[in-house]
Each structure stands twice: as C-alpha cells, then as structure tokens.
Amino acid sequence: MFHRKLAVIALAALAAAPALALDAEQAEKATETRQSVLEVVGWNMGPLGAMARGLVPYDAEIVARNAQRIAWMSSMIPDAFRADTRPHDVATEALPAIWENYARFEELAANTQASAERLAEVAASGDEAATKQAIGALVDDCRACHNDFRLDD
Amino acid sequence: MFHRKLAVIALAALAAAPALALDAEQAEKATETRQSVLEVVGWNMGPLGAMARGLVPYDAEIVARNAQRIAWMSSMIPDAFRADTRPHDVATEALPAIWENYARFEELAANTQASAERLAEVAASGDEAATKQAIGALVDDCRACHNDFRLDD
C-alpha cells in the first residue's frame, strides 16, 4: 500500500518536469498537491488575520511561528505549481495566467515569502503595532497573487 | 471573499484549542488541514523513495531540499492533528488512537522530524549510500506512525 502510493507520487513528481506532459491522474495529483500547499498557508494565516483585526487575542509567539510556516510554504509554491494542468479538466481556481507568465508568478511567491519572513522577525521583536502592520503587508502580498492568478478573488 | 474565508479559518483555529468542541464545519476544516499537511509530506517523500529504489536518478540537491521540507511539515503535525474530530462523521484515515494517546503521537512526529533533518544533513554531505540509508530510516519513521495511528497502512 505504502509502496504503491510512493510510486504514484514519484511518477507525478517526474511528470512535473516541464518537458513532460501530464496524464489525467497526474494532473489530479498535481492539483491536489498545490491546493494542499495553499491550504496549509491558509491554516496558518487565519489566526494572524483575526489577530490583526482584534477578533482573537494577540499572541506574538503564534504570529512568529505561523509566519515562519507561511514562509516555508511560500518557498514551495513555485515547485507546487510547476506542473501545467491547463490541458486537463481539473477542479481548480488556478488561472491559466500562471503558466503563461510563470516568472511573474514566481516573483509574487518570492514576495510573499519575504513578507512572511519579515513578519516573523517583527513579531519576535515584541512590537505589536508593527507586527499588525506586517501582517497587513503579508495579506497584501497574498492578494496581489490571488488577483492575477486565482479565480474569484 | 478573502475576509470571510479568514474568519472561518480563524474560528476553526480557535476551536482547535483542546477545551472547545468542534462543530461539523470546523471538524471538516480540521480534517482538510491535517490531510493537506500530510499531502505535502507525501509530495516531497515520493521522489526520495523512488531514488532510494533506483526508479529515478539520484539527485542529492533534491533529497536535501525535500528532506528539509519534510522536517518543516513534520513540525506542524502535532498542531495539525490537535483538533479532536472523533465526535464527527468526517472522511478520515486518522484513527481514534491519536487522541487517546496524543503524547505518543507527538513523539512519533518528533522522530520523523529528526530523521528528516538528519537526512537533509547526510544528503548535503554527498555520501549517496548513506543518504539512501537515511531515506530508509525516514520511511521507517513514517510507517511507525502510520501503523499505530492511520487506517489501512
């Protein structure tokens, strides 16, 4: 069971190389993978947005921890989206523009990573007001990418 | 749209505190989150298992990069599974044993993280045989946790 799963995933990873076209199963897997990366971003972003707006108590340790995690996840975004699923009928909010302008997509992912790393530093400094501003800057970077590359956002 | 999503996620995060019971929507969200964390692990594990068995060419840089990512993801596992979804009818392979013995579950996640960090170091050293052994050790840690805490593995 474990081995079979690994083999499917390994094939999907291979197929993610730009020169190889994906088959339908690989396209589904690639879609699931990139959605999972962003799901983990959202999980860690949620409490930060809620703290910035005063919906939950501010906690600098959680901010620093989650910001670090968001930086890690952002560093995976370019790899996670490299598999071009445009030829396949997958359920996705990823716009074709991603693969039409991958360099720009990578640039926005790098901006998000940098903002998340900056947020982790600011949160560790103990300055709550500056931290909330840095959360806002990170949210802006999320939005900038969603605006151009994600459906309905 | 973005704000509404953040609010839902923030509420789910709050509800993940041990003292609060989850409602059905929060249980679904928590399930999706933990599955996403493991999906990202699997995405990065796939090529390592395939390299260890000679199915794809060995690439020390990819091993080191993916091992680091697996260490990051493993560090999130205890938080990702904290929300106890036992009272809810969610589609999950997570066994009740997780919440019956959370300390042991956390211990196995920590073992996996340590093995992944060790693998990243060994891969960076350039010793291919030792790296393949370290991949095997990491796979063993994955299995140890799946055996006790995941359905059908």
Side-chain angles (χ1 to χ4, degrees):
Chain A
M1 183 67 172
F2 200 72
H3 281 135
R4 194 186 59 73
K5 279 188 191 166
L6 280 182
V8 168
I9 294 164
L11 290 172
L14 275 180
L20 297 171
L22 304 175
D23 69 23
E25 189 184 7
Q26 290 162 342
E28 287 290 347
K29 188 70 193 166
T31 304
E32 194 178 300
T33 296
R34 70 194 185 212
Q35 287 174 346
S36 294
V37 170
L38 271 302
E39 175 76 25
V40 177
V41 171
W43 170 49
N44 284 289
M45 195 65 218
L48 308 194
M51 283 181 209
R53 273 171 289 123
L55 300 177
V56 303
Y58 177 76
D59 184 325
E61 267 185 51
I62 291 178
V63 176
R65 182 199 69 185
N66 287 20
Q68 178 59 72
R69 291 175 178 174
I70 292 165
W72 292 338
M73 301 315 296
S74 299
S75 77
M76 300 185 208
I77 287 177
D79 279 343
F81 280 79
R82 208 171 305 277
D84 180 357
T85 56
R86 280 177 296 177
H88 292 278
D89 182 27
V90 291
T92 185
E93 293 178 321
L95 293 177
I98 292 170
W99 298 280
E100 290 160 2
N101 194 352
Y102 212 78
R104 176 65 180 153
F105 178 73
E106 289 187 294
E107 192 184 343
L108 292 181
N111 289 349
T112 303
Q113 183 181 346
S115 288
E117 284 166 358
R118 166 95 183 121
L119 170 57
E121 283 168 23
V122 176
S125 80
D127 183 336
E128 180 173 334
T131 302
K132 288 181 175 179
Q133 279 202 320
I135 292 173
L138 174 57
V139 169
D140 287 346
D141 281 327
C142 295
R143 283 213 189 97
C145 194
H146 293 176
N147 283 341
D148 287 354
F149 295 117
R150 186 172 112 173
L151 194 67
D152 269 343
D153 208 274
Chain B
M1 184 65 172
F2 199 73
H3 280 137
R4 194 187 57 76
K5 279 188 192 167
L6 281 180
V8 168
I9 293 164
L11 290 172
L14 274 179
L20 296 172
L22 305 173
D23 68 24
E25 187 184 7
Q26 290 161 342
E28 289 290 348
K29 188 72 193 164
T31 304
E32 194 178 300
T33 295
R34 68 194 184 210
Q35 288 174 346
S36 295
V37 169
L38 271 302
E39 174 77 25
V40 177
V41 172
W43 168 51
N44 285 289
M45 196 65 219
L48 307 195
M51 282 181 210
R53 273 171 289 123
L55 301 176
V56 303
Y58 178 76
D59 184 325
E61 266 184 54
I62 290 178
V63 176
R65 181 198 70 186
N66 287 21
Q68 177 60 73
R69 290 176 179 173
I70 292 165
W72 292 339
M73 301 316 295
S74 299
S75 77
M76 300 185 208
I77 287 177
D79 280 344
F81 280 79
R82 208 170 305 277
D84 180 357
T85 56
R86 279 177 296 177
H88 292 278
D89 182 27
V90 292
T92 185
E93 294 178 322
L95 292 177
I98 292 169
W99 299 280
E100 290 160 4
N101 195 353
Y102 211 78
R104 175 66 180 153
F105 178 74
E106 289 186 295
E107 193 184 340
L108 292 180
N111 289 349
T112 303
Q113 182 181 348
S115 288
E117 284 167 358
R118 165 97 182 121
L119 170 58
E121 282 168 25
V122 176
S125 80
D127 183 336
E128 181 175 333
T131 302
K132 288 181 175 178
Q133 279 202 319
I135 292 173
L138 175 57
V139 170
D140 287 345
D141 281 328
C142 295
R143 282 211 191 100
C145 194
H146 293 177
N147 283 342
D148 288 354
F149 295 118
R150 186 172 111 174
L151 195 66
D152 269 344
D153 208 89

